[in-house]
Amino acid sequence: MSSAELERVGARIVSCCRCPRLVAWRAAAASRAPVRFAGQDYWARPVPGFGDPRARIFVLGLATAAHGGNRTGRAFTGNPSAGLLMRALHRAGLADRPSSEHAGDGLRLHRTWLASAVRCPPPADRPTPLERDNCLPYLSAEVAALEDLRVIVCLGGFAWRAALRWAGVRPQPKFAHGGAHRLDGGLTLLGSYHPSPRNVHTGLLTEPMLDDVFGRARALAGLA
Ligand code: SF4
């Protein structure tokens, strides 16, 4: 059953040390917490996916945030990007609350799974191509375990290209907000601008735009 397999995959992810640079960086981030997180025990290990084992929608981010998931142990938790994403998932009926604060906060996702293409935090949010490729088998393993999956929402160009590389699509269709690509196996990739503070502050991404993406994801997933 997928829940047991997801737990096995999660255990493999948590113990991974394949990328020496990122192993060092996740520990370094934990040792210099910003004042607002001072005194907190950081997770400082790779972050497995989180959500509903019956997920039809996989939300794929770029990489674990140094003071978000690397602190809490849960993807898209406790930083501004997570806040915007969680509010959108809640409005779309895919989360039972509009925030994700820490691993024990009781958050439940509905038919949705959250993970990043790279499970450790990279310096400047820029994983190398080798680090991306090292981590793609974990995307593969989680997708295989999520038996009901229909859609992967790729947050930003990095996640879009990582998903296409994982799927072996060549040439790769260009990333576009709202752009979609149907894979041979039946899954649909759906592109969205990443909900980063920068994209929001510059007006590139608005909450209504994110709502449109998740409305479309719901329709593609047969949840509309
Ligand atoms: S980024 Fe992925 S492959 Fe690299 S050490 Fe972290 S979990 Fe392992």
Coordinates of all heavy atoms in Angstrom, one line a residue, residues 16-19 22 26 46 118-120 134-135 138, ligand 1:
C16 N 19.9 10.5 3.7 CA 20.7 10.7 2.5 C 21.8 11.7 2.8 O 21.6 12.8 3.4 CB 19.9 11.2 1.4 SG 20.8 11.3 -0.2
C17 N 23.0 11.3 2.3 CA 24.2 12.2 2.4 C 24.9 12.3 1.0 O 26.2 12.4 1.0 CB 25.2 11.7 3.5 SG 24.5 11.9 5.1
R18 N 24.2 12.2 0.0 CA 24.8 12.0 -1.4 C 25.5 13.3 -1.9 O 26.4 13.2 -2.7 CB 23.6 11.7 -2.3 CG 24.0 10.7 -3.4 CD 22.8 10.3 -4.2 NE 22.0 9.3 -3.7 CZ 20.8 8.9 -4.1 NH1 20.2 9.6 -5.0 NH2 20.2 7.9 -3.5
C19 N 25.1 14.5 -1.4 CA 25.6 15.7 -1.9 C 26.5 16.4 -0.8 O 25.9 17.1 0.1 CB 24.5 16.7 -2.3 SG 23.3 16.0 -3.4
L22 N 25.7 20.1 0.2 CA 24.4 20.4 0.8 C 24.4 19.8 2.2 O 23.7 20.3 3.1 CB 23.3 19.8 -0.1 CG 23.2 20.4 -1.5 CD1 21.9 20.0 -2.2 CD2 23.5 21.9 -1.5
R26 N 23.3 22.3 5.1 CA 22.1 22.2 5.9 C 22.5 22.3 7.4 O 21.8 22.8 8.2 CB 21.4 20.9 5.6 CG 22.1 19.6 6.0 CD 21.5 18.4 5.3 NE 22.0 17.2 5.8 CZ 22.0 16.0 5.2 NH1 21.6 15.9 3.9 NH2 22.5 14.9 5.7
P46 N 17.7 15.9 5.3 CA 16.8 16.1 4.1 C 15.4 16.0 4.5 O 15.0 15.3 5.5 CB 17.2 14.9 3.2 CG 18.6 14.5 3.7 CD 18.6 14.8 5.2
V118 N 14.8 19.3 -4.7 CA 16.0 19.0 -4.0 C 15.7 19.1 -2.5 O 15.2 20.1 -2.1 CB 17.1 20.1 -4.4 CG1 18.4 19.9 -3.6 CG2 17.4 19.9 -5.9
R119 N 16.0 18.0 -1.8 CA 15.5 17.9 -0.5 C 16.3 18.5 0.6 O 16.0 18.4 1.8 CB 15.2 16.4 -0.2 CG 14.5 15.6 -1.2 CD 13.1 16.2 -1.5 NE 12.4 15.5 -2.6 CZ 11.4 14.7 -2.4 NH1 10.9 14.5 -1.2 NH2 10.8 14.1 -3.4
C120 N 17.5 19.1 0.3 CA 18.3 19.8 1.2 C 18.4 21.3 0.8 O 18.2 21.5 -0.4 CB 19.7 19.2 1.3 SG 19.7 17.5 1.9
N134 N 21.1 14.0 -8.4 CA 21.2 13.1 -7.2 C 19.9 12.9 -6.5 O 19.6 11.8 -6.0 CB 22.2 13.7 -6.2 CG 23.7 13.5 -6.6 OD1 24.0 12.8 -7.5 ND2 24.6 14.2 -5.9
C135 N 19.1 14.0 -6.5 CA 17.8 14.0 -5.7 C 16.6 13.5 -6.5 O 15.6 13.1 -5.9 CB 17.6 15.3 -5.2 SG 17.0 15.3 -3.4
Y138 N 14.4 10.4 -5.6 CA 13.4 10.5 -4.6 C 12.0 11.0 -5.1 O 11.0 10.6 -4.6 CB 13.9 11.4 -3.4 CG 15.1 10.8 -2.8 CD1 16.2 11.6 -2.5 CD2 15.2 9.5 -2.5 CE1 17.4 11.1 -2.0 CE2 16.4 9.0 -1.9 CZ 17.5 9.8 -1.6 OH 18.6 9.3 -1.1
Ligands
SF4_1 S1 19.9 17.0 -1.9 FE1 18.9 15.0 -2.1 S2 20.5 13.7 -2.9 FE2 21.5 15.5 -2.1 S3 22.0 15.0 0.0 FE3 20.0 16.0 0.1 S4 18.5 14.3 0.0 FE4 20.5 13.5 -0.7

